[in-house]
Amino acid sequence: MFEARTGLVYRAIGAGVAPGARQSVPTLFRYPGPQGLAAHLQGHAARLAPQQAPFVWLAESARVDNAKAVSLFGVIAVLQPLALGVVRDGRHWLGENRITTPADALVWLPPSAVKAGLKLDRVAQPEQAIKRCKDYAAEKARVTDRLGAYLEELGALQNTGAPAGSQPWCAVPVGQRRALLARHGLKGRFTK
């Protein structure tokens, strides 16, 4: 049905168990990190995982990975996961990690849609998903600005030679972020 509906051919990536001919694959989700998410929000073609990774791990829940970052910045929904050749690998899904195209039917879901548990299993196109989100354009503008501030802080810290932390910057308690910024003579725009 996927091939008839999209005109694309499903090619399993070979790293796991391919879904059966009549098995449905749910909408899958990925938080591609702050740089990947920023690229997607700006409309640039990007990968969903680091370039050196041959596969991308995808989740059936928007909240599975990087919960703090997803609550602040949202997540990418993969509406046509078969386009990425997804296969089952135990409890997880793996897809091909390549530069994405419009045929992959990716859409950014804002934090409010993630929090509300927006269901997208019957949604095939990004425009349909966007219509189901309240105040999509306004939330996208707010998140784009917040994400820009976040990346600005990370870049400023990196330029000072500050060591990279073991957890995402947004998961570090605010007081610790402020102290580290002050120690390096920086004023944060994300950490106020």
Side-chain angles (χ1 to χ4, degrees), residues 119-185:
K119 302 291 183 203
L120 297 173
D121 285 343
R122 298 199 182 276
V123 174
Q125 297 302 319
E127 300 78 24
Q128 296 168 316
I130 290 168
K131 285 180 184 176
R132 294 181 178 208
C133 297
K134 185 178 180 182
D135 299 324
Y136 188 88
E139 193 164 0
K140 183 176 180 181
R142 283 191 302 272
V143 168
T144 299
D145 183 59
R146 183 184 306 147
L147 187 56
Y150 184 78
L151 290 169
E152 184 180 295
E153 270 185 34
L154 288 177
L157 280 168
Q158 187 177 28
N159 288 340
T160 67
S166 60
Q167 61 182 333
W169 181 240
C170 62
V172 174
V174 174
Q176 289 179 19
R177 290 197 316 255
R178 284 185 188 132
L180 185 61
L181 289 167
R183 193 174 321 132
H184 291 281

Side-chain angles (χ1 to χ4, degrees), residues 39-118:
H40 183 82
L41 286 171
Q42 294 167 4
H44 301 301
R47 294 174 190 272
L48 291 173
Q51 183 174 352
Q52 64 275 18
F55 307 116
V56 59
W57 176 82
L58 300 163
E60 289 186 25
S61 169
R63 300 179 194 187
V64 167
D65 199 24
N66 295 297
K68 182 65 175 176
V70 169
S71 72
L72 290 170
F73 307 126
V75 68
I76 302 296
V78 182
L79 302 176
Q80 305 270 357
L82 292 175
L84 296 179
V86 296
V87 295
R88 261 309 216 200
D89 182 37
R91 293 185 358 238
H92 307 291
W93 292 92
L94 291 174
E96 180 183 5
N97 183 32
R98 58 173 168 71
I99 301 288
T100 57
T101 69
D104 297 322
L106 305 179
V107 64
W108 171 74
L109 287 186
S112 64
V114 174
K115 184 177 180 182
L118 183 66

